[in-house]
């Protein structure tokens, strides 16, 4: 079953870097990266593959930074991101 989790604000560059670091640590490969702007909305979509599963990482103005994919995989990614961001000094 597919699940989407919003990890935080789309403008948080440290969060974006952490998500990509976690994906690399887990062995994910980026298959495509698209960016578009429509009026005040900016959307960046990254398609990745992790253990045979397709993962979508999407950053959208006013919506946030989200990841979508297999429920188990998304739960693992979001937990690792949460743990990593708790150790980042503010």
């Amino acid at each position: 079953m597919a699940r989407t989790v919003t990890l935080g604000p789309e403008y948080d560059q440290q969060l974006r870097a952490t998500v990509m670091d976690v994906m690399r640590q887990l062995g994910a490969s980026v298959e495509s990266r698209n960016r578009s702007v429509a009026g005040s909305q900016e959307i960046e979509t990254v398609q990745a593959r992790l253990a045979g599963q397709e993962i979508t990482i999407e950053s959208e103005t006013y919506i946030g930074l989200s990841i979508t994919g297999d429920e188990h995989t998304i739960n693992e990614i979001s937990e690792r991101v949460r743990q990593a961001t708790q150790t980042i000094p503010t």
Side-chain angles (χ1 to χ4, degrees):
M1 174 150 71
R3 179 170 187 213
T4 298
V5 172
T6 300
L7 299 169
E10 74 281 357
Y11 53 81
D12 186 337
Q13 295 302 315
Q14 184 108 26
L15 178 60
R16 287 180 183 224
T18 301
V19 170
M20 295 312 291
D21 285 346
V22 166
M23 295 290 287
R24 276 190 289 281
Q25 290 169 8
L26 292 171
S29 60
V30 173
E31 296 185 337
S32 69
R33 190 180 294 258
N34 297 305
R35 184 171 177 258
S36 59
V37 177
S40 64
Q41 292 293 107
E42 182 177 338
I43 301 171
E44 181 179 6
T45 304
V46 174
Q47 295 291 335
R49 188 156 294 280
L50 176 59
Q53 300 290 325
E54 186 174 297
I55 306 295
T56 302
I57 304 164
E58 191 165 75
S59 170
E60 184 174 353
T61 306
Y62 306 118
I63 304 295
L65 180 65
S66 65
I67 55 173
T68 302
D70 170 71
E71 184 173 9
H72 174 74
T73 304
I74 296 305
N75 288 345
E76 182 175 355
I77 294 167
S78 62
E79 179 59 23
R80 286 180 181 230
V81 168
R82 186 187 65 75
Q83 289 175 357
T85 55
Q86 284 182 343
T87 61
I88 297 171
T90 53

